[in-house]
């Protein structure tokens, strides 16, 4: 009897301790999350871009995570350990109890702290901000029927028909600015008939101010513009008038021209000590001030990057461009502008201060990899750079890389194997902060751009297989047409691939597979390449987009030279220095998108497609240029080079099967939901799909050629989950992939032909996000 009594007492104590409302003050309620957000009229009135933005901002304003929130959600919650510690040790007087309370207890989130009525008013203001002046927002507190100390919140958002602009006019501006303002208004979204949108008005005000400042009106600011809106004459319509603000400065509409331009070059802190007094040199109406025996940077190199010229109208865009181009010289740690208007004059003196960075950079990178195919090993990279090597912003860089991998004694496709490999390389490059090409017109030199000349060599050893060296050189031009767009042109790249040694096993494999034999032959790869990159990572957008498209042509210019010398284009086995050269075209395109749900939740997508076609002097493209799939940044339930091409699968006893699993066509798709677990610990749920194929039939790899009728069945599919720890400067990642569908035949029938745990499980350790 005593035993039963003790058990009942313990159960009662646990139930009391587990009560999440035990210490809720009288008159208060524990907030259990958002019950619902009902958008009334969303489909009818909120289909515009402004309406969609309003929905996002209202949702963000209403969100408030309760105790036990799942991944920061405002609607889904579970057991809260922090709340349990709070209630259990709330009045504890013992040292341990107080420590547990202070260390792990989470204060209850109360309805009064959430302030639903205030949030509803904020939502109503957002509706008006985007033109829904008749919109309404209300909050309803729903008390829990089982526990009156608990309550959730239900919000109702009613849009109603938005107001539109009936007429747009402006007054109070000087006639000289009419053409500037008209041009800015043509590009703004505040035309008659468009939905009222206060955000668009702010953007228009900024655009007009920027246009005026780019036309010499240095002192003009967006705050100098006001809007008058009349909603009385026509219901649902707004007559909008843009006017100048009151009490404007006398020089608000004064146009300024550039006067003196002074550029002061400061040496870095260690070099300033003991230097001579300042000296000044004039070059093309620009004064350069420095200390020391000679100018640390050539005046001509600096002048190319300064977009402002004496006598010209001031332009904010030119000033910002000059700052970017001086910074992109990569020799200054800081660049600042100080514009000084002269007294009683429409002249603006420009004073630029540029602080030189340290002349040398030394970096050492050490990394370690551990892959699900049991390949593990360290790698390192050492880089030494000398900045401003020829006093024109040039950077001379030497890099040494090395890595070693070994495969543990594990059964791979049915047999035990130990495969060791190492790789080492070196490259030296010279970077110029401009387009370094003799025939380029001077005006193109003012576009932010760089030129890189590089030579490199890399030696790869695959134990028991082959040793290969790759050497070459290239010239690359990068043109930054905007903050987001980059054009990379490589008009010349020559690479030489040479097998230094092979084993008897490799020779036998190559003899049985002509594709491998031709892919690994000693050959030159003369190529030219163009790449376009669009990157929104620096923009304050809610959604970030990254796009890169690249096209490579190899051997075609060389073949044209042969043709010009009398050799037919279709002649096989043309050579450079008694070695054949590769001839192919290759194209790749990749799209990435990062959609921010809120500060703790993101959805990331990637789509990648690529193709390479060899012809003329090459029956097969070089092995190093072919595509492969799988691994930590690809299909995460499959190891690198373990899928494809198509439905082809090497024999299970083939120790070097990964040589066969490359292709000339690639498609890859990834989607990943990223969420915060706690503090700097993040999680991810993902789905990966894709494969590689051959554009030409290969009898040695049946099922490898791309065909539309088998395309769907040959898409490998996996899902999985991952854990990431964000250190701020580094992200450590572990992903666990679960295979669902393999493109080859397995022991299981149907589409889901893999057992995710038994046959399709892989884990990957990585640094950084996969995409």
């Amino acid at each position: 009897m005593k035993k039963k009594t003790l058990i009942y007492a313990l159960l009662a104590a646990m139930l009391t301790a587990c009560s999440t409302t035990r210490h809720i003050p009288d008159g208060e309620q524990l907030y259990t999350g958002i019950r619902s957000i009902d958008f009334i009229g969303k489909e009818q009135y909120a289909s515009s871009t402004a309406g969609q933005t309003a929905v996002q901002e209202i949702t963000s304003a209403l969100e408030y995570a309760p105790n036990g929130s799942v991944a920061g959600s405002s609607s889904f919650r579970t057991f809260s350990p922090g709340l349990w510690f709070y209630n259990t040790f709330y009045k504890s007087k013992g040292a341990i109890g107080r420590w547990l309370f202070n260390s792990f207890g989470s204060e209850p989130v109360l309805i009064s702290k959430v302030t639903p009525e205030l949030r509803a008013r904020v939502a109503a203001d957002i509706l008006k901000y985007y033109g829904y002046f008749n919109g309404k927002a209300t909050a309803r507190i729903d008390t829990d029927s089982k526990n009156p100390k608990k309550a959730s919140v239900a919000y109702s958002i009613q849009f109603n028909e938005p107001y539109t602009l009936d007429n747009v006019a402006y007054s109070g501006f000087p006639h000289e600015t009419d053409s500037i303002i008209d041009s800015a208004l043509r590009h703004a979204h505040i035309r008659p008939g468009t939905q009222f949108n206060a955000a668009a008005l702010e953007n228009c005000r900024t655009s007009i101010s920027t246009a005026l400042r780019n036309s010499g009106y240095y002192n003009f600011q967006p705050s100098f513009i006001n809007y008058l809106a009349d909603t009385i004459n026509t219901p649902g319509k707004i007559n909008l008038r843009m006017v100048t603000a009151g009490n404007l400065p006398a020089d608000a509409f004064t146009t300024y021209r550039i006067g003196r331009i002074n550029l002061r070059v400061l040496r870095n802190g260690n070099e300033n000590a003991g230097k001579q007094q300042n000296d000044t040199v004039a070059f093309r109406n620009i004064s350069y001030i420095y200390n020391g025996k000679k100018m640390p940077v050539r005046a001509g190199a600096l002048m190319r990057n300064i977009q402002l010229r004496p006598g010209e109208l001031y332009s904010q865009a030119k000033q910002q461009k000059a700052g970017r181009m001086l910074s992109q010289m990569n020799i200054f740690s800081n660049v600042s502008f100080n514009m000084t208007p002269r007294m009683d004059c429409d002249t603006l003196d420009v004073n630029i201060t540029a602080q030189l960075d340290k002349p040398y950079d030394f970096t050492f990178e050490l990394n370690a990899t551990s892959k699900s195919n049991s390949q593990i090993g360290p790698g390192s990279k050492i880089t030494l750079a000398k900045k401003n090597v020829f006093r024109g912003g040039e950077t001379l860089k030497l890099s040494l890389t090395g890595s070693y991998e070994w495969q543990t004694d594990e059964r791979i496709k049915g047999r035990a194997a130990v495969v060791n490999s190492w790789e080492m390389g070196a490259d030296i490059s010279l970077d110029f902060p401009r387009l370094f090409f003799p025939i380029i017109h001077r005006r193109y030199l003012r576009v932010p751009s760089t030129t890189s000349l590089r030579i490199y060599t890399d030696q790869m050893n695959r134990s028991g297989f082959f040793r290969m060296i790759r050497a070459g050189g290239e010239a690359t031009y990068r043109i930054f047409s905007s903050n987001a767009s980059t054009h990379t042109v490589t008009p010349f790249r020559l690479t030489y691939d040479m097998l230094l040694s092979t084993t008897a096993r490799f020779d036998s494999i190559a003899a049985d597979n002509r594709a491998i034999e031709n892919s690994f032959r000693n050959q030159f790869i003369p190529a030219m390449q163009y790449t376009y990159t669009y990157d929104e990572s620096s923009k304050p957008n809610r959604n970030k987009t990254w796009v890169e498209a690249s096209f490579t042509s190899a051997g075609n210019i060389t073949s044209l030279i042969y043709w010009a010398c009398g050799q037919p284009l279709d002649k096989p086995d043309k050579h450079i220095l008694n070695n054949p050269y590769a001839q192919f075209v290759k194209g790749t395109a990749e799209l990435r998108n990062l959609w921010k749900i809120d500060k703790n939740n993101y959805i990331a997508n990637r789509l990648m497609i690529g193709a390479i076609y060899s012809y003329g002097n090459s029956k097969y493209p070089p092995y190093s240029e072919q595509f492969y799939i799988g691994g930590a940044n690809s299909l995460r339930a499959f190891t690198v080079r373990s899928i494809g091409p198509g439905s082809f699968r090497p024999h299970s006893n083939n120790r070097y099967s990964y040589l066969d699993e490359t292709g000339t066509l690639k498609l890859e798709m990834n989607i990943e939901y990223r969420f915060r677990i706690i503090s700097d610990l993040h999680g991810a749920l993902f789905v990966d799909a894709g494969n590689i194929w051959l554009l030409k039939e290969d009898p040695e790899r049946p099922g490898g050629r791309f065909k539309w009728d088998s395309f769907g069945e040959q898409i490998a599919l996996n899902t999985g989950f991952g854990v990431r720890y964000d250190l701020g400067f580094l992200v450590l990642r572990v992903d666990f992939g679960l295979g669902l569908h393999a493109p080859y035949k397995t022991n299981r029938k149907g589409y889901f032909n893999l057992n995710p745990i038994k046959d399709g499980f892989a884990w990957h350790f990585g640094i950084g996000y996969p995409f």
Side-chain angles (χ1 to χ4, degrees), residues 17-325:
C18 290
S19 173
T20 55
T21 57
R22 184 181 179 187
H23 297 292
I24 299 297
D26 293 338
E28 295 280 6
Q29 290 177 301
L30 178 69
Y31 170 69
T32 59
I34 295 178
R35 186 181 186 88
S36 64
I37 302 178
D38 187 14
F39 290 99
I40 303 172
K42 177 180 176 181
E43 294 77 11
Q44 183 177 4
Y45 300 120
S47 57
S48 64
T49 301
Q52 294 170 1
T53 305
V55 170
Q56 292 178 356
E57 292 190 9
I58 288 172
T59 302
S60 179
L62 299 180
E63 284 179 342
Y64 200 101
N67 294 106
S69 170
V70 177
S73 171
S74 299
S75 302
F76 300 100
R77 62 190 293 266
T78 184
F79 172 72
S80 172
L83 194 57
W84 183 87
F85 276 103
Y86 180 91
N87 284 282
T88 303
F89 301 101
Y90 181 76
K91 293 183 178 181
S92 178
K93 297 181 180 179
I96 296 178
R98 297 306 300 170
W99 177 78
L100 291 172
F101 178 82
N102 294 327
S103 300
F104 303 105
S106 296
E107 188 174 344
V109 178
L110 304 177
I111 287 288
S112 61
K113 184 177 181 181
V114 178
T115 59
E117 294 79 9
L118 177 61
R119 293 179 182 275
R121 288 197 294 272
V122 172
D125 290 340
I126 294 174
L127 288 173
K128 293 181 176 61
Y129 190 81
Y130 288 100
Y132 301 95
F133 290 97
N134 292 325
K136 297 179 181 179
T138 59
R140 185 184 75 248
I141 299 174
D142 292 340
T143 301
D144 193 314
S145 59
K146 296 181 180 180
N147 188 346
K149 284 287 189 177
K150 292 182 180 181
S152 59
V153 183
Y155 294 98
S156 176
I157 312 297
Q158 187 171 349
F159 280 86
N160 293 327
E161 189 171 357
Y163 276 59
T164 58
L165 299 179
D166 189 39
N167 183 43
V168 179
Y170 63 91
S171 61
F173 294 85
H175 295 301
E176 295 81 8
T177 64
D178 286 349
S179 60
I180 301 172
I181 296 175
D182 288 339
S183 177
L185 287 174
R186 281 196 297 270
H187 295 89
H189 297 286
I190 57 170
R191 306 180 192 90
T194 59
Q195 181 175 333
F196 177 86
N197 183 346
L201 300 186
E202 290 297 323
N203 292 336
C204 180
R205 188 160 66 168
T206 301
S207 297
I208 292 174
S209 174
T210 300
L212 289 171
R213 286 175 63 83
N214 287 337
S215 301
Y217 297 91
Y218 169 73
N219 287 312
F220 200 88
Q221 301 293 330
S223 58
F224 293 174
I225 300 175
N226 284 338
Y227 290 103
L228 300 177
D230 183 4
T231 61
I232 298 177
N233 292 336
T234 307
K237 299 289 184 179
I238 296 177
N239 288 323
L240 187 70
R241 190 156 59 96
M242 186 174 63
V243 298
T244 57
N247 300 320
L248 289 183
D251 55 1
F253 290 103
T254 299
T255 56
Y256 284 85
R257 293 189 176 273
I258 301 299
R260 293 187 298 269
I261 300 179
N262 302 314
L263 174 60
R264 181 182 298 272
V265 178
L266 301 178
R267 299 178 185 270
N268 69 71
N270 294 332
E271 290 184 320
N272 280 326
K275 293 295 181 181
Q276 300 175 3
Q277 296 296 319
N278 290 341
D279 200 354
T280 303
V281 61
F283 184 76
R284 296 186 181 179
N285 298 322
I286 299 178
S287 298
Y288 300 91
I289 306 168
Y290 63 95
N291 62 351
K293 294 182 179 180
K294 63 179 180 180
M295 183 76 170
V297 187
R298 294 197 311 272
L302 293 170
M303 187 208 66
R304 281 192 297 265
N305 295 299
I306 300 175
Q307 303 297 297
L308 304 171
R309 293 290 182 268
E312 293 182 350
L313 281 174
Y314 167 78
S315 169
Q316 175 181 277
K318 288 186 176 182
Q319 177 188 336
Q320 294 173 342
K321 191 174 183 180
R324 288 198 308 270
M325 293 187 68

Side-chain angles (χ1 to χ4, degrees), residues 740 744-756 759:
L740 301 176
Y744 47 78
K745 291 183 178 180
T746 68
N747 296 327
R748 302 185 66 174
K749 296 182 179 180
Y751 179 79
F752 297 102
N753 59 0
L754 287 175
N755 184 321
D759 303 321

Side-chain angles (χ1 to χ4, degrees), residues 3 9 51 113 115 118 155 175 208 240 250 263 272 301 310 438 465 477 524 593 635 638 699 713 719 728 756-757:
K3 186 177 180 181
K113 184 177 181 181
T115 59
L118 177 61
Y155 294 98
H175 295 301
I208 292 174
L240 187 70
L263 174 60
N272 280 326
F465 197 21
Y477 300 92
F524 283 97
N593 179 262
L635 305 186
F638 305 93
E713 287 293 322
T719 186
I757 302 300

Side-chain angles (χ1 to χ4, degrees), residues 516-581:
I516 293 179
E517 181 182 14
N518 282 274
S519 297
F520 277 92
R521 67 178 179 173
N522 297 342
Q523 60 184 324
F524 283 97
I525 308 176
M528 56 194 307
Q529 185 179 49
Y530 168 75
T531 302
Y532 171 74
T533 305
Y534 179 80
D535 186 0
E536 290 184 336
S537 60
S538 62
K539 293 186 175 182
N541 300 358
R542 186 180 184 90
N543 301 328
K544 308 286 187 180
T545 299
W546 183 91
V547 180
E548 184 170 275
S550 180
F551 176 79
T552 304
S553 172
N556 297 302
I557 299 297
T558 308
S559 292
L560 288 176
I561 294 174
Y562 269 89
W563 175 76
C565 295
Q567 298 286 343
L569 288 176
D570 56 354
K571 178 184 176 181
D573 298 328
K574 295 186 283 289
H575 291 73
I576 298 176
L577 300 176
N578 297 322
N579 282 276
Y581 62 86

